[in-house]
């Protein structure tokens, strides 16, 4: 803990003792918050990928695997570490046409429930003017503004 | 390194569905078979017993092939999820229609007596509309959220207008020519149930028409229902208005309808059910 703490305070040795602790504390909090946000982002992306798989499985397991294969062959990975919802949305539109909206709506709906259960104490998930956005935009809003902030 | 990536990209591209060429090929194949059937019908038109055997056996073969494909889908898809349930219903519907075709063939070819109407075959045909309806309505309900409301109004209005013309004429003609209430009910049920299938088929097609993997099955499925509905309505109309006339030439429509169904099932089986063997083959091509 201490070594980690000091590793973020290399630039403060020349200042006074009190200021040293103050600046170190500030640096430590900032870095840890960024790490927590990053970890949370990775976890949430993983959850989003899991929800996506669950929604696609509503068509049946063999169809879900066929879709994963098709998505993968078009360069869209569904691995939780690399999952990109925007690329997924674009490719699903190519596969299902307007029918892709059904999946995106359901993914957003389940993602919202999951997010509210986990981070609901931080206020509303979306602002009122954001409710009319496309599902992929709403998911992106949550990911970029809420989760990483 | 880059060479490997290029090769993989080339293999991926080669295995990506080329919708236009695939659809063109499958439609050409169906049109070719239907044309060959129609020309053969014309060539043997004078020989009525042979025409009957050829026509009935060809339709049975097309319905049987579609049924085999649907059973293969149920085997591979299992019963889970939307497709599991809807394709199982589709297979049941096709099974009923295939049985009806066999019974009709038995009446027409197997026994010399006049074909009864309505017969057991009609009961099976009419029962088949239930599972087909489930397949179409369940799929439409699933994708319904993506539908544009004015599209539904247009399709329902057009279908009602077209079939609204046939049903009263059929009812009126049948009631004038026959006292049999059951016959009247059956005459009305065919075009009415056809119309009930057309609405969800076309609405689902309108939602999925731009999808690379969904356009071909839904073009073919909608086409098959439209072709069979048109044939049923025209057949029912002629039978009701000219009961003593011999009706020929409708076999080609039923054959084309079953072939389109078979094509739709083939596409679902090929593209929307994961094949481990195909995946391994492509992986081996990529990594050769």
């Amino acid at each position: 803990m201490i070594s980690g703490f000091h590793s973020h305070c290399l630039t403060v040795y020349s200042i006074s003792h009190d200021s040293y602790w103050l600046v170190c504390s500030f640096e430590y909090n900032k870095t840890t918050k960024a790490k927590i946000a990053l970890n949370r982002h990775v976890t949430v992306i993983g959850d989003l990928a899991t929800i996506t798989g669950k929604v696609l499985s509503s068509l049946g397991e063999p169809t879900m695997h066929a879709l994963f294969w098709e998505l993968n062959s078009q360069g869209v990975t569904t691995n939780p570490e690399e999952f990109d919802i925007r690329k997924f949305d674009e490719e699903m539109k190519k596969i299902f046409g307007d029918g892709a909206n059904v999946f995106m709506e359901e993914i957003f709906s389940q993602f919202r429930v999951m997010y509210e259960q986990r981070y609901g104490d931080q206020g509303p998930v979306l602002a009122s003017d954001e409710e009319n956005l496309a599902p992929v935009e709403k998911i992106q809003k949550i990911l970029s503004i809420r989760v990483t902030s | 390194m880059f060479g490997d990536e290029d090769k993989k990209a080339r293999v991926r591209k080669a295995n990506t569905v080329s919708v236009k060429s695939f659809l063109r090929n499958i439609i050409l194949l169906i049109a070719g078979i239907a044309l060959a059937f129609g020309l053969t019908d014309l060539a043997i038109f004078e020989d009525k017993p042979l025409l009957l055997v050829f026509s009935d056996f060809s339709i049975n073969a097309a319905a049987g092939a579609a049924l085999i494909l649907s059973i293969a889908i149920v085997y591979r898809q299992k019963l889970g999820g939307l497709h599991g349930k809807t394709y199982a219903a589709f297979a049941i519907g096709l099974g009923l229609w295939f049985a009806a075709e066999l019974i009709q063939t038995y009446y027409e070819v197997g026994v010399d007596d006049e074909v009864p109407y309505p017969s057991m075959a009609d009961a099976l045909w009419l029962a088949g509309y239930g599972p087909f309806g489930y397949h179409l309505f369940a799929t439409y309900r699933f994708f319904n959220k993506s539908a544009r409301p004015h599209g539904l109004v247009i399709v329902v209005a057009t279908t009602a207008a077209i079939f609204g013309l046939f049903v009263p004429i059929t009812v009126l003609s049948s009631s004038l020519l026959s006292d049999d209430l059951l016959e009247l009910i059956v005459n009305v049920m065919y075009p009415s149930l056809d119309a009930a299938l057309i609405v969800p088929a076309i609405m689902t097609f309108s939602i999925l028409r731009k999808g690379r993997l969904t356009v071909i099955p839904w073009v073919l499925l909608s086409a098959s229902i439209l072709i069979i509905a048109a044939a049923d309505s025209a057949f029912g109309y002629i039978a009701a208005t000219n009961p003593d006339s011999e009706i020929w030439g409708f076999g080609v429509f039923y054959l084309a309808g079953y072939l389109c169904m078979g094509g739709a099932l083939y596409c679902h089986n090929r593209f929307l059910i994961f094949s481990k063997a195909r995946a391994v083959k492509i992986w081996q091509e990529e990594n050769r």
Side-chain angles (χ1 to χ4, degrees), chain B residues 50-172:
Chain B
L50 181 63
L51 177 63
L52 205 54
V53 170
F54 172 74
S55 182
D56 280 2
F57 278 79
S58 302
I59 292 168
N60 288 351
L67 178 62
I68 288 168
L69 277 168
S70 70
I71 291 169
I73 287 176
V74 174
Y75 176 74
R76 294 183 63 210
Q77 181 89 53
K78 312 292 182 230
L79 297 175
L82 174 81
H83 283 167
K85 292 180 187 74
T86 55
Y87 278 88
F90 199 96
I92 293 168
L94 260 174
L96 290 166
W97 280 18
F98 180 63
E101 295 291 353
L102 290 180
I103 291 171
Q104 187 72 8
T105 302
Y106 171 75
Y107 282 135
E108 290 181 347
V109 179
V111 291
D112 286 338
D113 293 345
E114 194 179 331
V115 180
Y117 182 78
S119 67
M120 188 61 180
D122 291 294
L124 291 173
W125 267 313
L126 291 173
Y129 280 92
F132 281 128
Y134 173 77
H135 174 89
L136 294 167
F137 277 101
T139 309
Y140 173 62
R141 208 172 143 227
F142 185 87
F143 289 106
N144 183 25
K145 287 175 198 164
S146 307
R148 295 185 181 92
H150 65 268
L152 178 64
V153 173
I154 292 167
V155 175
V156 171
T158 311
T159 313
I162 294 168
F163 286 87
L165 288 173
F166 278 101
V167 173
I169 292 170
T170 312
V171 171
L172 192 66

Side-chain angles (χ1 to χ4, degrees), chain A residues 55 57-67 69-75 91-103 105-106, chain B residues 12 16-17 76-77 80-84 142-146 148 206-214 268 271-274 278-279 282-283:
Chain A
V55 169
S57 72
S58 61
L59 290 174
E61 290 284 317
T63 304
M64 181 190 76
H65 290 304
L67 289 172
W69 167 261
E70 183 67 23
L71 289 164
N72 197 41
S73 70
Q74 299 304 315
E91 199 50 42
M92 283 295 279
K93 279 191 178 124
K94 288 180 193 164
I95 293 173
F96 282 99
D98 292 340
N101 293 339
V102 171
F103 300 105
E105 287 284 356
E106 187 58 29
Chain B
R12 272 190 205 135
T16 301
V17 184
R76 294 183 63 210
Q77 181 89 53
L82 174 81
H83 283 167
F142 185 87
F143 289 106
N144 183 25
K145 287 175 198 164
S146 307
R148 295 185 181 92
S206 75
I207 297 166
L208 300 174
R209 71 184 189 284
K210 289 179 191 163
R212 188 172 68 238
L213 298 189
T214 50
H268 181 86
F271 301 120
L272 286 169
I273 300 179
F274 181 68
R278 184 168 168 250
I282 293 171
W283 186 86

Side-chain angles (χ1 to χ4, degrees), chain B residues 221-287:
Chain B
L221 195 58
S222 303
S224 77
I225 290 164
L226 279 172
I227 290 168
I228 290 173
D232 277 347
S233 299
F235 189 91
Y237 174 73
I238 294 169
T241 49
N242 301 291
D244 298 327
S245 64
E246 283 191 352
I247 304 168
W248 298 102
F250 281 95
V252 70
F253 292 106
Y254 292 111
L255 181 91
Y258 283 125
L259 289 175
C260 286
M261 270 187 200
L265 292 167
Y266 172 79
C267 291
H268 181 86
N269 199 17
R270 176 88 165 74
F271 301 120
L272 286 169
I273 300 179
F274 181 68
S275 164
K276 199 175 171 185
R278 184 168 168 250
V280 168
K281 194 182 156 199
I282 293 171
W283 186 86
Q284 283 172 338
E285 279 175 34
E286 281 181 3
N287 295 281

